[in-house]
Amino acid sequence: MSTVAPAGTARTLTARTVVSRTAWLLSALFWSAFAVLEAVNHGWIAGLLAFAFFLAPDLTFLVGLSDAPRMEKGRLTPRAVPYYNTAHRALVPLALVVLYTVTPLTWAPAFAALCGWLAHISYDRAFGYGLRTKEGYQRG
C-alpha cells in the first residue's frame, strides 16, 4: 500500500515511519561521527573527501537543471532520476565499505569518503527524502 499523499495534502506519520526515520537518523549520526573520526585521525584529505562525498549525491540535480523552471515544485526532472536514485541507494556505498574491509586497500580517505556518502543518504531518509519515481516524484 502506498503512503504517497496527493499534492497539497499533509501526510501523517505512522509508527513504522517514525521508527524507520529514527533508525536512519541513528545511522546518519554514526556515519557522521565515523567520518569526523577518520578526518581527525588521518588528516585534512580524509576530511575533505568525507565532506565532498557528503555533498556529491545532490549534485545529480544538476543533470536536469535546464528543465527545472518547467518542473513543478518538489519534482525532479525524469532525466536526472536514474542518477539521483543511484547516488542515493545505501547499498552502493555499503558494498564499497565491505569491499574496502576485505581487500588490502588501506587508504583511509577513501573510507572517510564512504562514511560521508552513507551519512548523506541516512540524513535524507531520516528527514523523509527517499528515492524518486521515474517521473521524478518522491516515493512514499
Side-chain angles (χ1 to χ4, degrees):
M1 177 174 222
S2 177
T3 59
V4 177
T9 61
R11 287 177 52 177
T12 58
L13 295 179
T14 64
R16 182 177 176 178
T17 302
V18 171
V19 169
S20 175
R21 286 190 183 182
T22 301
W24 278 111
L25 182 60
L26 292 173
S27 174
L29 295 173
F30 171 81
W31 291 112
S32 296
F34 217 145
V36 169
L37 179 68
E38 290 295 303
V40 168
N41 287 339
H42 300 287
W44 68 271
I45 294 175
L48 181 66
L49 281 177
F51 184 68
F53 273 70
F54 182 79
L55 297 177
D58 283 342
L59 295 178
T60 57
F61 288 121
L62 297 176
V63 171
L65 194 59
S66 63
D67 298 334
R70 294 181 298 281
M71 303 302 291
E72 60 191 279
K73 187 176 184 330
R75 183 176 175 205
L76 182 62
T77 178
R79 192 167 41 133
V81 169
Y83 303 103
Y84 178 89
N85 284 347
T86 300
H88 285 84
R89 288 192 190 277
L91 189 57
V92 175
L94 277 174
L96 292 172
V97 164
V98 169
L99 190 64
Y100 181 88
T101 60
V102 298
T103 62
L105 179 65
T106 58
W107 193 53
F111 184 73
L114 294 172
C115 290
W117 190 1
L118 283 164
H120 175 99
I121 293 168
S122 298
Y123 280 116
D124 273 2
R125 296 298 192 290
F127 295 118
Y129 300 108
L131 300 176
R132 301 292 183 126
T133 64
K134 66 180 181 176
E135 295 83 17
Y137 294 104
Q138 284 287 332
R139 289 186 185 173

